[in-house]
Amino acid sequence: IKTMQKILITGGNGFIAFNFIKVMLKDDYDILSIDNLSLSKYLNHETINIKSDKFKFIECDIGSNDVCELIKNYQFDAIVNFAAESHVDKSIHSSNLFVDTNIRGVNNLLACCNDLIKKGDLPSDFRFIQVSTDEVYGSLTQTEPAFTESSILKPTNPYSASKASADLICMSYFKTHHFPVMITRCSNNFGPYQYPEKLIPLAVNNIINNKKIPIYGNGQQIRDWIYVEDHCLGIKKVLEQGQFGHVYNFGGYSELTNLEIIENIIQIMKPNEIANQYIEYVEDRPGHDTRYAINAEKVLNDLGWKPSHKFSNAIDETVNWYINNSEWSQNIMQTDQYKNWVEKQY
Ligand code: DAU
């Protein structure tokens, strides 16, 4: 029986959170979204444009004192923490923001919710979901079995190390304070509204703009791709049925090399043309993880979740979304913040 109603979504302007909000509003939840707008003020318009009396947006950082006041005043039934600096390459250039948001910010949320719970100032069935990543497990060889929830944490870059740190702090709050936390770890998401710095939107936008797609190293690294809506439905299941102190892995059962992904996109956009002319091999990402793969049996057995989108259909839809909504990406790509990033990285 669902008793939860009021949900705080942090990082609500980000790609996965924004898609999650849309899923939740279909099911009559009251959503308050916060974001520090670190990526781009532009993204804000998308969130503000949600027309629903069940939705509200406030600019706020998870590391601030204001967030504690807000949590107390609104009496949320649950918090889903999506707020994170998420781009591996950026964390390689500078890790400060990653430690600030992904570790200190999460700690701030936990500490403040824990205080409120101890004082009886939050609903008795309050729960907290930390949205994490498969990257906390580190890298697999081609033949190793996929990560399970009990695989050891062995992050390799500043981004994944910051996410793993947050996971450990969450689990310490569960053990020490019986804090009602659950952690989700998902593989690579794709779908509408992903920031154009990431591989799939970058590839589509580069083709639109007559630029080559930069492939790091030999392009043989493997990622397990999942359609963002499948991931969001999984998080919703954890929110509604998950057990405190548990970790839940989500994956898309679609392991592909980067080169295969890019060839797929070129095939959709430029059918029957030679893919190589759209590709440029560039210097490899330092410490580049070879392969991520997720064993998602636990969520199938415990929560009855499995992805419902087929990769080939979902990638087709996604590429077409970026083509039909190219203004959305172009507006971000024209900001100084984005241009400076591309200049620095490529
Ligand atoms: O596995 C989950 C993770 O997936 C999330 O935790 C991260 O927040 C998310 O950014 C993503 O990390 P990746 O590093 O796998 O995603 P990205 O899109 O940056 O890169 C995907 C692969 O493509 C990776 O092997 C690096 C490669 N790549 C990426 C870019 C941006 C290229 O070859 N060229 C590029 O220009």
Side-chain angles (χ1 to χ4, degrees), residues 137-147 289-294:
Y137 299 120
S139 182
L140 292 169
T141 63
Q142 310 284 339
T143 51
E144 275 174 306
F147 300 121
D289 286 340
T290 311
R291 174 174 166 244
Y292 306 138
I294 277 286

Side-chain angles (χ1 to χ4, degrees), residues 122-244:
L122 279 180
S124 58
D125 63 350
F126 173 81
R127 60 204 53 201
F128 186 105
I129 295 191
Q130 169 66 3
V131 179
S132 185
T133 166
D134 63 356
E135 291 206 16
V136 297
Y137 299 120
S139 182
L140 292 169
T141 63
Q142 310 284 339
T143 51
E144 275 174 306
F147 300 121
T148 69
E149 287 79 358
S150 49
S151 296
I152 57 166
L153 303 189
K154 224 170 156 189
T156 61
N157 57 64
Y159 159 71
S160 55
S162 70
K163 293 295 288 183
S165 307
D167 286 10
L168 293 175
I169 300 172
C170 285
M171 290 312 284
S172 80
Y173 266 73
F174 172 71
K175 274 278 181 194
T176 311
H177 298 292
H178 308 291
F179 187 84
V181 66
M182 297 168 275
I183 296 174
T184 62
R185 295 183 182 141
C186 188
S187 59
N188 283 60
N189 283 225
F190 68 100
Y193 297 106
Q194 188 169 28
Y195 203 69
E197 66 195 357
K198 303 287 168 62
L199 182 67
I200 290 178
L202 181 92
V204 178
N205 284 310
N206 276 18
I207 295 184
I208 292 175
N209 295 327
N210 294 316
K211 283 196 193 151
K212 292 199 173 193
I213 302 164
I215 295 197
Y216 299 159
N218 61 11
Q220 292 307 314
Q221 297 79 12
I222 294 171
R223 299 289 183 268
D224 170 15
W225 293 92
I226 180 173
Y227 190 60
V228 62
E229 192 186 80
D230 283 330
H231 178 202
C232 292
L233 290 168
I235 295 172
K236 184 164 177 283
K237 283 216 175 228
V238 171
L239 182 69
E240 292 168 350
Q241 303 168 36
Q243 286 188 56
F244 300 155

Side-chain angles (χ1 to χ4, degrees), residues 302-318:
D302 290 12
L303 307 174
W305 177 94
K306 63 175 183 335
S308 63
H309 289 83
K310 222 177 128 206
F311 176 80
S312 54
N313 298 339
I315 190 73
D316 201 82
E317 248 176 58
T318 300

